[in-house]
Amino acid sequence: QKEVEQDPGPLSVPEGAIVSLNCTYSNSAFQYFMWYRQYSRKGPELLMYTYSSGNKEDGRFTAQVDKSSKYISLFIRDSQPSDSATYLCAMSPYISASKIIFGSGTRLSIRP
Amino acid sequence: GAVVSQHPSWVICKSGTSVKIECRSLDFQATTMFWYRQFPKQSLMLMATSNEGSKATYEQGVEKDKFLINHASLTLSTLTVTSAHPEDSSFYICSASMRADEQYFGPGTRLTVT
């Protein structure tokens, strides 16, 4: 079993829809949770990070962590074609960005 | 700010040769740099972590004699793939960290070994 499981998609939604991306994990030691966006043949770009259970909002993006269920989500509101990319969840057992374990990524396509 | 560059962006080499990939932090000093490998439609897998002036720490299963990492300064780390083989063809991505809670990723280097 992988430490971090993420549905690879692809996920295709119309412009303006709310997108929900999810990951589950097995290691209860994970304390630091991140979401990255990766465009084709580019390096990942950090979107959001959080340490605690609950919600964290940044513009159109909301990150949600449920440590009791070992489940994290990223919600994108008012999705735009420019949001089309691969979204990677990532987590670390440390309160730092070292030893990051990445999910396999979900390919998202926003249809105009 | 926090820009990381990689050079080259794409390299093709013949089997048995060595190839060097550079990772630079352009506008900050990186205390730690990380090297990842990403196969098509798969996630990033950490290969090694390096701190300036000290030996890199390799992840389990990564051959340190094959993937040589040098972190000569706070702004430059290099990865040399020695005696490359077709199975080493992959997307190599570095990241740099100046504080504990963030890693800044480079644009990646696509290596094709023929």
Side-chain angles (χ1 to χ4, degrees), chain A residues 37-45 82-88 106-108, chain B residues 9 38 40-41 91 93 106-110:
Chain A
R37 177 173 61 195
Q38 185 177 24
Y39 292 110
S40 181
R41 304 196 177 199
K42 300 290 185 184
E45 170 195 8
S82 58
D83 295 328
S84 298
T86 295
Y87 289 79
L88 300 153
T106 299
R107 287 170 51 210
L108 173 66
Chain B
S9 57
Q38 185 177 32
K41 298 186 180 182
F91 194 49
I93 305 175
T109 296
R110 185 162 302 280

Side-chain angles (χ1 to χ4, degrees), chain B residues 39-65:
Chain B
F39 291 105
K41 298 186 180 182
Q42 295 188 27
S43 190
L44 284 77
M45 298 298 294
L46 180 64
M47 299 174 67
T49 303
S50 73
N51 294 294
E52 185 262 341
S54 59
K55 288 184 179 180
T57 301
Y58 290 81
E59 294 300 302
Q60 192 173 11
V62 178
E63 299 174 59
K64 61 181 180 181
D65 294 330

Side-chain angles (χ1 to χ4, degrees), chain A residues 1-8 21-27 30 35 70-73 87-91 101-106, chain B residues 43:
Chain A
Q1 182 189 9
K2 292 180 182 178
E3 282 191 285
V4 180
E5 297 277 1
Q6 184 175 8
D7 187 337
L21 304 167
N22 311 294
C23 288
T24 58
Y25 62 95
S26 57
N27 188 346
F30 286 140
W35 284 95
K70 299 189 181 67
Y71 188 87
I72 69 170
S73 300
Y87 289 79
L88 300 153
C89 64
M91 41 201 85
I101 309 298
F102 283 88
S104 55
T106 299
Chain B
S43 190

Side-chain angles (χ1 to χ4, degrees), chain A residues 32 38 43 51 96-97 99 102-103, chain B residues 38 43 59 100-101 103 105-107:
Chain A
Y32 182 54
Q38 185 177 24
Y51 294 102
S96 72
K99 203 75 175 184
F102 283 88
Chain B
Q38 185 177 32
S43 190
E59 294 300 302
D101 58 358
Q103 286 186 31
F105 285 81

